[in-house]
């Protein structure tokens, strides 16, 4: 099992870039084009591909269709992945309406919420009461879930998902969670990303200001 | 300028954890409590704090209020940060309705969209035509923006933001973008995170299956 998260993320980026090249009419592609579109060096592309046994033709480049198929097999995208979502608030509802997942082989099949007012079976993706989660996960053999509940309810939600048999969770709640070893946990934390950006912008401004002050003193 | 992104992200996590402890009535906290809540070692907490000159009392722990104030200064949160958003589709609209930013000192002040049907000044946060973006950024001295447009429009949006004077961008569009050196770029890519999770869950299942098969052969 190749554990390097960054490598898998790069494979995802290569796949997105390949789909864009394909939609522009390209049939073959060189590693340096792909590298440029994915924001890495072409040596990195070749290294990543060789790690997974993907061979290219140095003169002719890669066949886009064949390459996409290989990447889909590696990323487990040759079959549709059913995903459930817990918490149908603003963020959860936005994800339910998001159309890009399907073309990536990901399908949100059902959502769950503790609030009866949010539950409905009249939409394309049903929102069921939280009490039905365990049965649904077992019956449909769901292994991947997205948590969109408030921070205070997130750990209890994760525990419930793990008990039901879910093996991978993407957490949108702004809190660090604890999962057993056989359940993978990823985070999307918009506040943290914004805070980090704000810090960087402020730090750069301070450092620019100091540079300007020093220059003014030397004049 | 301390450039380590992970360290800044940990500071954000400490801050969230401190706010939770505070809401539970705590006044002081030991580094091991904080470490546990943030999912790191207590040595890491002390190392991060010493890096920014935050001193604790080994016996008495840290004063939560004083610590929060110091973290807010470091993270640039002692003043409200005005942020704009481009693209008021499903994801953008969800972010506009998201209530957690305010308490983190982040305020989305205005959104922009190319679709006149999405533009409105009747909501709490106005959605203006894209043509007004440059003027607004200059007048309000906005430095941080969120991109929520489709992948195909993301680079043009970023170029427009940079030209207007934005210095930090959080991109939700599933595409790698190119920014000049003096503009920081961060990504939230839900598809990539899900793909990565699916890969990990599949890889673990394959490796478990091989282990079971080997065990069966030895019986």
């Amino acid at each position: 099992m190749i554990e390097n998260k960054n490598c898998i993320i790069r494979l995802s980026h290569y796949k997105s870039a390949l789909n864009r090249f394909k939609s522009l009419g390209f049939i073959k592609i060189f590693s340096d084009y792909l590298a440029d579109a994915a924001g890495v060096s072409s040596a990195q592309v070749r290294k990543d591909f060789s790690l997974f046994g993907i061979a290219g033709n140095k003169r002719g480049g890669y066949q886009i269709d064949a390459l996409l198929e290989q990447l889909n097999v590696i990323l487990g995208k040759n079959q549709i992945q059913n995903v459930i979502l817990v918490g149908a608030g603003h963020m959860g509802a936005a994800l339910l309406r998001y159309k890009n997942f399907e073309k990536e082989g990901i399908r949100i099949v059902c959502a769950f919420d503790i609030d009866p007012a949010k539950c409905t079976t009249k939409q394309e993706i049903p929102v069921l009461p939280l009490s039905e989660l365990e049965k649904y996960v077992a019956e449909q053999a769901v292994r991947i879930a997205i948590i969109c509940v408030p921070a205070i309810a997130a750990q209890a939600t994760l525990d419930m998902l793990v008990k039901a048999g879910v093996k991978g969770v993407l957490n949108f709640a702004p809190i660090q969670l604890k999962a057993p070893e056989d359940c993978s946990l990823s985070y999307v934390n918009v506040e943290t990303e914004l805070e980090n950006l704000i810090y960087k912008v402020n730090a750069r401004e301070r450092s620019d200001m100091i540079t300007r002050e020093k220059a003014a003193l030397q004049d």
Side-chain angles (χ1 to χ4, degrees), chain A residues 83-208:
Chain A
V83 172
I84 59 165
L85 183 145
V86 187
H90 294 314
M91 186 65 83
L95 292 175
L96 291 181
R97 286 190 222 104
Y98 193 58
K99 298 289 170 211
N100 264 13
F101 292 137
E102 285 276 336
K103 75 170 188 227
E104 301 291 333
I106 295 163
R107 185 186 293 150
I108 301 184
V109 284
C110 191
F112 296 88
D113 204 286
I114 204 165
D115 178 4
K118 291 213 181 76
C119 297
T120 170
T121 53
K122 287 186 183 155
Q123 288 171 1
E124 199 184 332
I125 303 168
V127 182
L128 304 180
L130 203 56
S131 53
E132 294 183 29
L133 185 142
E134 204 171 331
K135 190 167 153 256
Y136 186 95
V137 168
E139 281 178 4
Q140 306 292 322
V142 175
R143 298 170 309 150
I144 313 277
I146 303 174
I147 292 182
C148 282
V149 303
I152 199 162
Q155 184 65 51
T157 304
L158 175 63
D159 295 345
M160 187 188 272
L161 288 166
V162 166
K163 192 172 161 237
V166 166
K167 298 295 181 196
V169 172
L170 179 57
N171 175 38
F172 276 75
I175 184 171
Q176 298 297 104
L177 302 177
K178 290 189 177 79
E181 243 184 39
D182 67 341
C183 179
S184 300
L185 202 49
S186 285
Y187 293 86
V188 171
N189 193 328
V190 185
E191 287 107 310
T192 304
E193 292 294 338
L194 279 174
E195 281 186 350
N196 186 41
L197 262 184
I198 291 166
Y199 171 80
K200 281 201 273 190
V201 171
N202 284 343
R204 200 167 41 223
E205 279 187 358
R206 273 196 298 271
S207 115
D208 287 353

